[in-house]
Structure formats: structure tokens, C-alpha cells
Amino acid sequence: MSLLEIQGLHAHYGKSHILHGIDMQVEEASIVSLLGRNGSGRSTLLKAMMGLVPPTAGTITLAGQAITGKRPFDICRQGLGYVPEERLVFPNLTVAENLAMGGQKGAPGAHKWSIDEMYDYFPRLKERNAIRAGYLSGGEQQMLTICRSLLGNPRVLLIDEPTEGLAPKIVDVVMEVILDIGRRGVAVVLVEQKLTIALKVAQKVMVMGHGELVYSGTPDELEASPDVRRNWLEVA
Ligand SMILES: Nc1ncnc2c1ncn2[C@@H]1O[C@H](COP(=O)(O)OP(=O)(O)OP(=O)(O)O)[C@@H](O)[C@H]1O
Ligand SMILES: [Mg+2]
């Protein structure tokens, strides 16, 4: 059985049917890039996994335990971490206080992260550790959001467009951190609009279209499939 298993997942916003029967497996310590055009349902899929959008059908299993229909907090405690598109920091708390808030016991068997490791990843956060998070730049807030999620010691980390709006130099840092997270045995599901990054970090790529998974393969296989890119990724 895979670390994370999704079967026949459906989700709605009111009467709008958004996810149409998603089947997906994520293996331990693997990085999966989730691709697709705007509006294809990638963020909704991550939110459904986290319990932020209640699934209307289907099952989600994490390390053999069903998490379908549970509350986000409980899903988080069972080992699913989430870095949303919107950067979620406590603006009136300092960087150090924000990091302290992230600390959780974490799921059994998960890598236990320390605040020092976070400062090694992002020295900029160490320099600014006494500054209130509301004064950080967008990129710094993004780094802080990633660190807070890691300090929950997840077994699987879901990250939604972490490099959006970041300067190229910071994009490279974030990419290295994602690779390192994978090397420490944490699985990552990455929604990433930049195809080069998505292909570089992942062992497996999945493409969504209109709320369904329309392609799954290795980065090399996707590179060799211009029809998939044309039909499902490139903007017509
Ligand atoms: N809160 C909401 N209420 C109603 N419809 C929503 C809501 N959030 C998203 N949708 C709709 O669900 C569909 C999928 O959106 P989703 O955010 O999952 O797409 P995405 O692949 O993450 O794309 P992007 O991030 O580029 O917008 C879209 O048609 C969107 O308009
Ligand atoms: Mg999205």
C-alpha cells in the first residue's frame, strides 16, 4: 500500500462539481508534481486531502489510516502538512514566534525538524527572527510558511505554488529545499506552474484537466509527450 492513497475522490463547491473521481498514489519519500492549467482543480485536490473542502465521495488513506471526512487539524496531526497558496503567517508575531507556533509532535516515523534546520535552509529568516512577520517580504513570508508546516513533522507535505511571485534566486533556494525535504524521507505533492521546476524535482508527474487526472508518468515521459503538454498544459 502507498503512503497516501486516494480513490474515487469527488468534491463540490456548492452545486459546482469540481473533482470528478481522482485516483492517486504517493509513495514514501517521493516527490510528485501536480500540473494543469488554471482552474483544473489542483488546489481543490490539495484542499480536499486536507479536509478543507469536504470530499463528497471517495476515500483518502494516509499510512493505512482513513482520513476522509476528518477535520483539517486531525488530518494534520496524522501526518499531512499543507502550505497554501496564500502565505499564512501570524503578522503580529515575530519570525521566531511564528516558528515556535509550528511545532507539533508529528506523525510516528516522520523526520523531526528543528528550528535550526529551518534557519539553515533560509538564513534570511534567522537574520530577521526578531522582526514581526507582517513586515517580511512576500518571499520571506513564503519561506516562513514552508518552515511552519515542516515543524509539524509531516509525512507528506502538500505545497501549492510555492515559487509564485518569487525572485529567481529565491525560486532556486525553495527548489533546493523541496529536494532536501524529499531526501529526508518526507513525501511531497507539489503544485507548480513552472514546468522546468516541476519536472526537475519530481519522480512522478500528474496532470489534471477539468477536475480529472488526465496523465501520469515520469518527468522524462512527459518531456517526450508533446501532445500531453499541448492538450493539457500549454496555454492555447
Ligand atoms: N471557493 C470556491 N467556490 C466556488 N468555486 C471555486 C472555489 N475555489 C475554486 N473554485 C472553482 O473550482 C475550479 C478549480 O479551482 P482550483 O482553485 O482547484 O484550480 P487550480 O488548478 O488550483 O487553478 P489556479 O490555482 O490556477 O486557479 C475552478 O473552476 C474554480 O473557479
Ligand atoms: Mg490553485
Side-chain angles (χ1 to χ4, degrees):
M1 193 179 224
S2 307
L3 179 57
L4 182 68
E5 292 235 354
I6 299 177
Q7 274 173 354
L9 190 72
H10 289 254
H12 293 69
Y13 290 113
K15 285 189 181 146
S16 315
H17 194 170
I18 306 294
L19 299 182
H20 298 264
I22 303 280
D23 294 311
M24 179 175 174
Q25 285 90 37
V26 179
E27 308 303 330
E28 199 139 358
S30 70
I31 301 181
V32 176
S33 284
L34 194 56
L35 301 169
R37 291 203 178 103
N38 294 122
S40 57
R42 297 158 304 163
S43 297
T44 304
L45 176 55
L46 298 193
K47 287 175 188 166
M49 293 185 209
M50 276 320 289
L52 295 164
V53 173
T56 39
T59 58
I60 310 171
T61 315
L62 176 63
Q65 292 196 304
I67 57 170
T68 333
K70 291 199 172 179
R71 292 173 306 169
F73 175 74
D74 292 318
I75 292 175
C76 183
R77 272 213 306 214
Q78 272 184 253
L80 213 52
Y82 176 53
V83 182
E85 247 176 312
E86 345 31 274
R87 289 135 202 195
L88 281 186
V89 299
F90 298 103
N92 293 320
L93 299 184
T94 66
V95 168
E97 287 165 346
N98 265 276
L99 292 175
M101 296 283 288
Q104 295 273 334
K105 209 163 107 244
H111 178 80
K112 301 283 183 275
W113 300 88
S114 68
I115 290 182
D116 283 342
E117 281 174 302
M118 300 302 107
Y119 288 151
D120 287 344
Y121 276 161
F122 301 116
R124 183 78 184 141
L125 292 182
K126 187 171 188 178
E127 287 165 30
R128 314 208 79 195
N129 73 82
I131 308 272
R132 283 176 200 232
Y135 292 118
L136 299 178
S137 72
E140 290 162 351
Q141 291 188 6
Q142 182 65 276
M143 296 173 202
L144 185 55
T145 309
I146 293 173
C147 292
R148 280 231 333 269
S149 305
L150 277 180
L151 288 165
N153 300 314
R155 301 193 64 171
V156 183
L157 187 63
L158 314 176
I159 316 183
D160 202 346
E161 304 211 27
T163 67
E164 210 197 333
L166 300 188
K169 242 167 117 177
I170 305 174
V171 169
D172 288 343
V173 174
V174 169
M175 197 172 77
E176 283 306 320
V177 167
I178 291 170
L179 283 167
D180 199 58
I181 293 169
R183 285 194 288 268
R184 310 275 178 122
V186 178
V188 177
V189 179
L190 172 70
V191 173
E192 175 57 64
Q193 201 68 33
K194 298 181 184 75
L195 191 60
T196 44
I197 293 180
L199 295 180
K200 206 163 163 182
V201 300
Q203 287 91 49
K204 190 155 105 176
V205 276
M206 295 183 174
V207 179
M208 285 187 76
H210 309 303
E212 294 183 55
L213 276 182
V214 293
Y215 178 83
S216 169
T218 65
D220 286 346
E221 286 164 353
L222 180 64
E223 287 220 81
S225 311
D227 48 325
V228 175
R229 295 205 308 274
R230 192 169 48 242
N231 292 338
W232 300 108
L233 296 175
E234 285 150 19
V235 179

